[in-house]
Every structure is written in C-alpha cells, then in structure tokens.
C-alpha cells in the first residue's frame, strides 16, 4: 500500500510539474474583426525587451484544434521548456491554436471508410486560421524584440501541412523551418525553395502518406535546393516523437539566419 501511495504521489507531482511548466507559456489572443486566434507565448527566462530574439512558431496537429488555448501545447511544448534549450537558446516561442471549424492548410479532405484522402491545393485563398496566423506572424515580426533574420516555423501533421503553407505565403519571412508528417502540392515548392527545411515522416504512416513529404523533398531537390529529409522506417503517424528526440533539430533550426 505504501508503495502504491508513493507511486501515486510521484505521478501527481509529475502532472503538477508539467502543468506548472506549461503555465510559463502566457495566454494571448489576436482579434481581427469578428475573428480570434488564441495563442500561447514563451519568453526567455531573462527576457529583455530591449534585446533582439529569434521567434519560433509551432503549429499543432488536428487533434489539438479548439478554443481552450491549451491543447496546442500537447506535443512539442516540453521540448522548448527543457533546461538544455532554455539555458542554451534565448528565443520567443509561439503556439497558436487553430479553430475547430478551420484548418491550417488549404487542403481538400475526403473520408472513405474511415480512411482520409488529401488533395493539396495549388495557390488559393488562405483558410480563416491561416489568415489569422499570417496576421500574427506579421505582428510579431514587427515587435522591437524580434530578430527579423531569425524567424522560424515548424509543425506536425496538420501543422506540418500548415508549415509548408505559411512558407509559401511568407517565404521571405522565415530563416528556416521543419515539417513533420505533413504535405503540400509539389507545385507550391518553388515558392519556398530558398528556405532551409528539415522534413520528417514515418515510413509506416497510414494517416498522412510519407509520399507527400517525399514529393516535396524530391521537387526541392529538382529545383537545386535539397532539404534535410529524415524517414523513420518503423514509425507510424506519431513520428513527431522521434523528430523531437533529434538532438540536432533545434540547434540546426536556430543556427539558420537570413
């Protein structure tokens, strides 16, 4: 019994510590007319508004959509809260939340017998959430503390798709990006061909085919701008766990500059 109580207390302490960590991401909102984009923002431990800092945008997957301004921290937030990151890198990190009725990317999705099929659009108008994200990006880049030469974006699944989308809509804004188990219409790749990019996918992904990531990699390579490309042969859709464990991911990202 004592052992069970000790284990329960330990688990409770972990949950409380995690909640406390996430509270370091401050809750903010962007209001544009009748539309609202909720987001969380993490400042460096010794933030000085007179200094210049890199800014990292992280785009969550479909399962974290909503309006609670919390779920978007489910995957990836802990990576930026790690002591190694906080001590080694001073950066502003932003986790926006896509609305439930919207989507980061301009993609057509059809479900057949629980299987989803994606058709990525070439061009087209941005979704409501992407439009708000673009406005948030422009707003943050204009902040006095923003290092305009070190603006980054990354995401997973729907957020990986959104990463490609925001890159093609603001290619001159970003110094580098990473996309995990995402996808795009290969015809859009030429718009962000000059942005350093690291693409990840699970070889067994049965939700978003790895062919989508490979298509972008192949197209960029044809254009003469070969991105970093990592396939986890035994990983399914949650290849983000493996990507987050890459020791060089954040150092590589933050070493890039315009």
């Amino acid at each position: 019994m004592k052992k069970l109580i000790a284990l329960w207390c330990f688990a409770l302490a972990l949950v409380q510590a995690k909640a406390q960590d996430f509270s370091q991401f401050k809750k903010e909102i962007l209001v544009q007319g009748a539309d609202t984009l909720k987001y969380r923002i993490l400042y460096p431990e010794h933030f000085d508004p007179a200094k210049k800092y890199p800014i990292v945008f992280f785009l969550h997957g479909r399962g974290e959509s909503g309006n609670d301004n919390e779920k978007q921290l489910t995957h990836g937030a802990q990576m930026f809260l790690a002591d190694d990151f906080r001590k080694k890198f001073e950066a502003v990190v932003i986790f926006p939340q896509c609305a439930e009725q919207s989507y980061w990317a301009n993609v057509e999705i059809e479900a057949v017998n629980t299987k989803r099929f994606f058709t990525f659009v070439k061009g087209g108008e941005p979704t409501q959430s992407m439009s708000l994200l673009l406005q948030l990006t422009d707003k943050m880049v204009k902040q006095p503390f923003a290092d305009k030469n070190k603006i980054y974006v990354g995401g997973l699944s729907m957020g990986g798709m959104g990463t490609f989308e925001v890159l093609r809509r603001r290619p001159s804004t970003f110094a580098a990006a990473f996309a995990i188990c995402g996808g795009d219409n290969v015809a859009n790749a030429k718009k962000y061909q000059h942005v350093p990019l690291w693409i990840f996918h699970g070889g067994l992904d049965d939700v978003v085919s790895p062919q989508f990531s490979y298509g972008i990699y192949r197209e960029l390579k044809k254009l003469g701008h070969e991105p970093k490309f990592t396939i986890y042969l035994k990983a399914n859709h949650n290849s983000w766990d493996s990507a987050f464990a890459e020791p060089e991911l954040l150092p590589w990202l933050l070493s890039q500059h315009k």
Side-chain angles (χ1 to χ4, degrees):
M1 179 63 72
K2 289 182 179 180
K3 185 175 181 180
L4 287 174
I5 293 174
L7 287 172
W8 181 84
C9 290
F10 178 69
L12 179 61
L14 286 178
V15 170
Q16 290 173 337
K18 184 175 181 180
Q20 185 178 4
D21 281 344
F22 284 174
S23 71
Q24 295 179 60
F25 281 87
K26 306 304 180 186
K27 291 185 176 183
E28 299 287 353
I29 60 171
L30 173 75
V31 178
Q32 294 292 328
D35 298 326
T36 300
L37 177 70
K38 295 185 177 182
Y39 64 96
R40 301 288 285 266
I41 183 166
L42 177 72
Y43 292 99
E45 288 183 321
H46 305 292
F47 177 71
D48 180 352
K51 291 177 62 176
K52 299 289 186 183
Y53 296 96
I55 298 180
V56 182
F57 292 88
F58 187 91
L59 307 182
H60 63 80
R62 184 59 176 164
E64 293 73 60
S65 298
N67 64 0
D68 63 354
N69 209 4
E70 292 188 5
K71 284 192 296 183
Q72 75 267 36
L73 298 175
T74 302
H75 304 295
Q78 201 65 44
M79 178 171 60
F80 296 103
L81 290 169
D83 287 342
D84 286 350
F85 177 81
R86 301 282 273 167
K87 291 176 181 177
K88 193 177 297 184
F89 302 104
E90 288 190 319
V92 176
V93 183
I94 300 172
F95 274 63
Q97 186 174 35
C98 182
E100 187 72 43
Q101 73 278 9
S102 190
Y103 212 77
W104 288 132
N106 195 350
V107 57
E108 299 171 1
I109 305 171
E110 184 177 1
V112 180
N113 295 331
T114 72
K115 181 72 174 179
R116 285 183 291 176
F117 295 88
F118 300 87
T119 303
F120 294 96
V121 177
K122 178 181 179 296
E125 293 298 316
T127 64
Q128 178 193 47
S129 288
M130 175 53 65
S131 179
L132 289 167
L133 173 62
L134 293 171
Q135 293 175 64
L136 176 62
T137 301
D138 295 343
K139 173 186 174 181
M140 296 308 300
V141 170
K142 292 175 183 176
Q143 296 302 309
F145 57 77
D147 184 341
K148 295 179 175 59
N149 292 315
K150 303 196 76 175
I151 310 296
Y152 311 101
V153 64
L156 61 91
S157 194
M158 177 184 73
M161 301 171 191
T163 295
F164 291 124
E165 176 108 0
V166 75
L167 284 181
R168 72 177 172 88
R169 296 187 184 278
R170 292 289 189 275
S172 62
T173 294
F174 297 99
F178 64 91
I180 306 169
C181 57
D184 192 12
N185 188 309
V186 295
N188 293 323
K190 63 180 181 293
K191 296 182 179 180
Y192 46 83
Q193 61 179 298
H194 298 290
V195 181
L197 184 61
W198 194 343
I199 301 172
F200 301 88
H201 220 113
L204 302 179
D205 196 328
D206 58 1
V207 177
V208 180
S209 171
Q211 186 65 41
F212 289 126
S213 284
Y214 177 71
I216 298 302
Y217 164 76
R218 184 171 182 270
E219 186 65 21
L220 289 171
K221 190 174 178 181
K222 283 170 56 180
L223 292 168
H225 301 278
E226 184 172 352
K228 292 170 70 70
F229 185 50
T230 300
I231 286 286
Y232 302 109
L233 295 179
K234 296 182 179 181
N236 203 304
H237 188 52
N238 68 335
S239 54
W240 52 82
D241 289 336
S242 298
F244 294 159
E246 291 282 351
E248 292 304 311
L249 173 56
L250 294 181
W252 170 84
L253 184 75
L254 290 157
S255 70
Q256 309 297 318
H257 58 85
K258 292 196 297 179

